[in-house]
Amino acid sequence: MASNSNRRSVSSASRSAGSSRGASRRSASASGYRVTSSSAGRRQQAFSGTGVRSTRIGDLDGKSSLGRAKKGGAKPALVVGIAASVLGAVLAVVVILSGTGVLAVKNVTTKGVSHLTEQEMSQLAEVPLGTPLLTVDTEAIRRNLLRDAWIQDVSVNRIFPDTLELAVTERTIKAVIDVQTSATSASQLWAIASDGIWLMPIPDQDSEAGQATSAQVYEDAASVMRIQNLLVSEEPQIGAVCGDPNVNNALSIISGMTTELADQVKTMVASDANSTTLVLEGGVEIAFGTAEDIRDKERVCLELLKEHQGSIAYINVRSVERPTWRSA
């Protein structure tokens, strides 16, 4: 019969062994596996030895997105490469065609031109027909065109496959001046622009030179103010800036008038600046003088014309503070 001390020892040993097995099961459970037998434990050990690791779902999503981003990053570079190749091929074809005459200049078109004839534009531009459109010196053509007084600005545009466009901004006639010079008693009608550029002498419309002149020149000349008896100190030159004080005074008066009086002025007589006289459509003469106090002079003239409507023949506003008038 075993003693009590031996039974306690065996019980203690059994509890110790049971505790060890319980610890093993808890340890195995904590690692994510459920071990139900010793053979299962061996399978777990064998499986763990393969080096397989667990990964969270969030980590998988992040890695997948990163992979997609890396793959997507290659697409723009591919697109750029393809575009560059296509562009290079197109340029190569254009260069080849330029050398064969397929893209040569065959047509020249103009827009914005009304005071110059097609023949005049052609002579000015000196466009080398048959030259490859890509190699045409557009800046040289632009310089050629700007030599003409009528042309204020111009752009030369290539229109493929074979057209050159000349887009022109023209000057307009501000006044027609009956010019007399000290060198001769003869007079000549000249068109002048608002910026003081002498545009051209206007020939008689029935003359040979008049027949070769654009009809628009005569239409504009008939609609603007005509300045008569203007003695100038310099001979007008086409394209030159007028430096004569009498002419510039007359232009300043024309440009400075803003009321309905300007619409009634038919001609201007200006032998010198101080004696500048406006002649209205009804025949009333206004001694206007220099281009000073233009607004005040207009106001006084309009008041007198309204007050003495139909009976006034002459107004003097050279001194706007002391205007005078007389009846017909």
Side-chain angles (χ1 to χ4, degrees), residues 306-319:
K306 183 178 180 180
E307 183 178 353
H308 306 282
Q309 187 175 6
S311 62
I312 197 168
Y314 176 83
I315 300 173
N316 188 335
V317 287
R318 291 172 185 164
S319 176

Side-chain angles (χ1 to χ4, degrees), residues 29-172:
S29 299
S31 65
Y33 297 94
R34 183 180 180 184
V35 180
T36 58
S37 66
S38 60
S39 60
R42 287 192 297 271
R43 286 196 299 272
Q44 176 197 355
Q45 292 173 1
F47 187 75
S48 299
T50 62
V52 176
R53 296 189 299 273
S54 62
T55 305
R56 292 181 298 172
I57 296 300
D59 294 338
L60 286 173
D61 290 342
K63 292 177 180 179
S64 178
S65 299
L66 180 60
R68 287 194 298 270
K70 289 181 178 179
K71 291 179 181 179
K75 291 181 179 179
L78 180 61
V79 171
V80 171
I82 294 173
S85 299
V86 172
L87 180 60
V90 171
L91 289 176
V93 171
V94 170
V95 170
I96 293 172
L97 291 177
S98 297
T100 62
V102 174
L103 295 180
V105 177
K106 297 178 181 177
N107 303 299
V108 179
T109 62
T110 62
K111 66 178 183 179
V113 180
S114 58
H115 296 93
L116 294 171
T117 63
E118 292 184 3
Q119 183 179 1
E120 289 171 330
M121 286 293 294
S122 177
Q123 291 173 348
L124 282 169
E126 297 179 3
V127 177
L129 294 178
T131 301
L133 191 59
L134 283 175
T135 61
V136 170
D137 190 344
T138 57
E139 187 58 33
I141 295 173
R142 183 175 185 273
R143 287 194 301 268
N144 291 339
L145 291 169
L146 288 174
R147 291 181 303 179
D148 192 274
W150 284 105
I151 299 179
Q152 187 172 29
D153 197 10
V154 61
S155 62
V156 182
N157 308 313
R158 297 181 178 92
I159 300 179
F160 289 95
D162 56 11
T163 300
L164 203 64
E165 179 190 67
L166 311 178
V168 176
T169 299
E170 283 189 323
R171 290 184 171 89
T172 57

